[in-house]
């Protein structure tokens, strides 16, 4: 019998995305899978149950969808207790946030399920099309600038009118990964004067290529090139002091600040202090994209928009979910690309290789098996 793939209605608070679209349902069925979608799963992303049925999926309640399912696709991994009825040893393919959700991962092991963390996909060339963090970060960087523009009480571009000239907004992006690069590009398209900084010296050329001004500590070594997995790593105390001094002088002149810095498995680094916020002009806006990981900005509150010293600090959770239709389309393609890349026609199901399998597999045969969770 063809393997059964179940697509669930997301249970996490304020999660609007869905892990499969009619497009990817058709492609999964073409591979040889049976696809069942939980009723209402795509509603918040603008996808009706009938659209899934037209694509060839069965639409049912959760129990019906999970009955005998070999693979569950989700955006955020559900609690194991919600997956009763799956086939023993079945795969759950989703974002797990494994370090912060260790108890949930242990629950998957106890349930005898194989948890595959798409958010631990290695940053290698052949896995780029499967990389959910990159696809979702692109949208997060874009949306962060739009949220800043909405909260900012002035225009972004310079405007020359008969009544006088309005100066362009000054935007500063801190952290030049995927989200930061998209934030730079979006702010530039809206007409802002953009500057950016990162601890990785290799990002200087990327910043300049987008027409922004690089702001870097000179004379003190940061991180040469990329850190582990394409992320920045820890820096020296000397570098952090020099960077804080540089940023303090620069940030006081900015109207918009977007922070994006994350370190895998650790709290987000503190980039903006309360004193630096106080130095900014009233009416300025800060968007903290790392707020769910502890925040880059002192005083940022996850899930809230707060004001400190006359500055608006936007701390929306799950920024990609605010663009649910596009975010779902990209996420679903990432999951399809992953399954299709490993689909074994003889076995009639996906079979993982060692390089990617060992990187993303969290649990198997009742045990937590990923070395990153065993240290």
């Amino acid at each position: 019998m063809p393997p059964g793939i179940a697509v669930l209605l997301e249970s996490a608070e304020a999660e609007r995305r869905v892990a499969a679209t009619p497009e990817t349902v058709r492609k999964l069925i073409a591979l040889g899978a049976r696809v069942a979608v939980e009723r209402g799963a795509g509603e918040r992303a603008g996808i009706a149950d009938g659209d899934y049925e037209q694509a060839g999926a069965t639409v049912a309640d959760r129990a019906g969808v999970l009955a005998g399912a070999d693979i569950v696709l989700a955006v955020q991994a559900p609690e194991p207790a919600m997956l009763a009825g799956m086939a023993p040893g079945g795969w759950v393919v989703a974002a797990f946030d494994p370090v912060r959700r260790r108890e949930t991962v242990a629950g998957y092991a106890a349930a005898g399920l194989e948890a595959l963390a798409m958010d631990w996909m290695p940053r290698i060339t052949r896995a780029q099309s499967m990389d959910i963090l990159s696809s979702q970060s692109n949208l997060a960087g874009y949306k962060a600038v739009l949220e800043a523009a909405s909260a900012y009480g002035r225009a972004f571009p310079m405007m020359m009118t008969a009544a006088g000239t309005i100066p362009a907004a000054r935007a500063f992006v801190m952290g030049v990964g995927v989200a930061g690069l998209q934030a730079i590009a979006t702010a530039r398209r809206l007409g802002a004067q953009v500057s950016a900084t990162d601890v990785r010296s290799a990002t200087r050329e990327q910043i300049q290529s987008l027409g922004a001004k690089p702001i870097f500590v000179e004379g003190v070594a940061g991180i040469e090139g990329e850190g582990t997995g394409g992320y920045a790593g820890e820096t020296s105390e000397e570098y952090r002091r020099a960077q804080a001094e540089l940023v303090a002088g620069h940030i006081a002149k900015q109207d918009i600040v977007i922070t994006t810095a994350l370190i895998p498995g650790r709290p987000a680094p503190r980039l903006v202090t309360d004193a630096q916020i106080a130095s900014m002009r009233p009416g300025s806006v800060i968007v903290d994209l790392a707020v769910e990981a502890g925040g880059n900005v002192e005083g940022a509150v996850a899930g809230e928009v707060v004001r400190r010293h006359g500055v608006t600090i936007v701390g929306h959770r799950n920024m990609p979910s605010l663009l649910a239709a596009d975010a779902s389309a990209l996420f679903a393609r990432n999951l399809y690309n992953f399954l299709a890349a490993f689909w074994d026609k003889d076995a009639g199901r996906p079979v993982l290789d060692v390089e990617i399998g060992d990187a993303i597999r969290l649990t198997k045969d009742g045990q937590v098996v990923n070395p990153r969770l065993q240290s």
Side-chain angles (χ1 to χ4, degrees):
M1 180 182 292
I5 297 178
V7 180
L8 301 185
L9 170 65
E10 294 297 313
S11 56
E13 183 181 359
E15 180 57 79
R16 301 171 180 86
R17 294 171 291 177
V18 64
T21 62
E23 173 199 352
T24 61
V25 165
R26 291 188 190 94
K27 291 180 177 179
L28 290 168
I29 292 172
L31 287 177
R34 294 174 293 115
V35 181
V37 179
E38 184 176 359
R39 192 170 289 113
E43 187 174 310
R44 287 172 289 186
I47 306 171
D49 290 342
D51 295 334
Y52 286 115
E53 289 176 324
Q54 289 180 9
T58 301
V59 175
D61 60 15
R62 177 161 295 193
V65 165
L66 286 173
D70 302 289
I71 301 171
V72 163
L73 304 182
V75 177
Q76 296 190 48
E79 292 299 320
M82 301 173 67
L83 300 175
M86 277 192 71
W91 287 9
V92 179
V93 183
F96 275 82
D97 194 4
V99 172
R100 286 191 288 176
R101 297 184 66 194
R102 286 177 184 265
E103 291 186 8
T104 298
V105 173
Y108 273 85
L113 299 174
E114 190 162 336
L116 301 177
M118 294 297 289
D119 40 341
W120 276 10
M121 184 65 64
R123 291 279 175 91
I124 56 178
T125 300
R126 69 189 183 95
Q128 286 180 346
S129 66
M130 316 170 195
D131 186 354
I132 63 168
L133 294 184
S134 291
S135 72
Q136 303 303 293
S137 292
N138 250 312
L139 291 171
Y142 165 78
K143 185 62 172 173
V145 176
L146 298 190
E147 291 295 315
S150 177
Y152 185 51
R154 300 169 183 264
F156 258 49
M158 182 181 75
M159 294 185 179
M160 301 179 69
T161 75
T165 299
I166 298 172
R170 294 174 177 170
F172 183 38
V173 178
M174 305 182 72
V176 189
V178 174
L181 289 169
Q182 185 58 249
I184 293 169
T186 303
R188 286 274 297 158
R189 285 197 293 268
L190 290 180
Q193 292 182 3
V194 184
S195 57
T197 191
D198 196 286
V199 297
R200 295 165 295 179
S201 60
T203 60
R204 182 189 295 267
E205 291 183 3
Q206 294 174 308
I207 294 168
Q208 291 172 323
S209 72
L210 292 171
K213 179 182 179 181
I215 305 297
F216 279 83
V217 172
E218 303 295 345
V220 180
I223 296 173
E224 298 298 326
E226 300 287 340
T228 302
Y231 292 90
E234 293 283 5
T235 55
S236 68
E237 181 62 34
E238 180 186 14
Y239 182 90
R240 287 194 290 271
R241 282 197 303 268
Q243 186 188 44
E245 291 175 8
L246 175 69
V247 167
H250 187 70
I251 207 170
K253 305 170 187 175
Q254 304 307 303
D255 303 302
I256 306 294
V257 175
I258 311 287
T259 68
T260 73
L262 291 167
I263 301 175
R266 299 198 179 189
R270 181 56 47 83
L271 302 181
V272 181
T273 66
D274 186 69
Q276 290 167 345
I277 297 169
S279 73
M280 297 179 71
R281 180 170 65 166
S284 300
V285 178
I286 301 174
V287 181
D288 188 347
L289 282 179
V291 69
E292 292 180 270
N296 297 143
V297 180
E298 186 174 359
V301 180
E304 296 184 20
V305 177
V306 299
R307 286 181 66 84
R308 294 176 71 90
H309 309 295
V311 176
T312 300
I313 305 174
V314 179
H316 293 326
R317 296 181 185 271
N318 195 354
M319 194 72 79
S321 186
L322 299 179
L323 298 167
D326 287 334
S328 297
L330 296 182
F331 195 102
R333 288 171 194 159
N334 289 146
L335 298 194
Y336 167 75
N337 291 337
F338 165 68
L339 294 176
F342 294 105
W343 199 272
D344 187 308
K345 292 182 179 179
D346 294 331
R349 58 168 297 139
V351 178
L352 297 184
D353 66 11
V354 172
E355 183 179 26
I356 289 179
D358 287 356
I360 68 172
R361 185 182 294 109
L362 306 179
T363 62
K364 188 174 183 180
D365 299 330
Q367 301 292 324
V368 176
V369 297
N370 197 289
R372 293 172 65 179
L373 293 174
Q374 294 173 332
S375 59

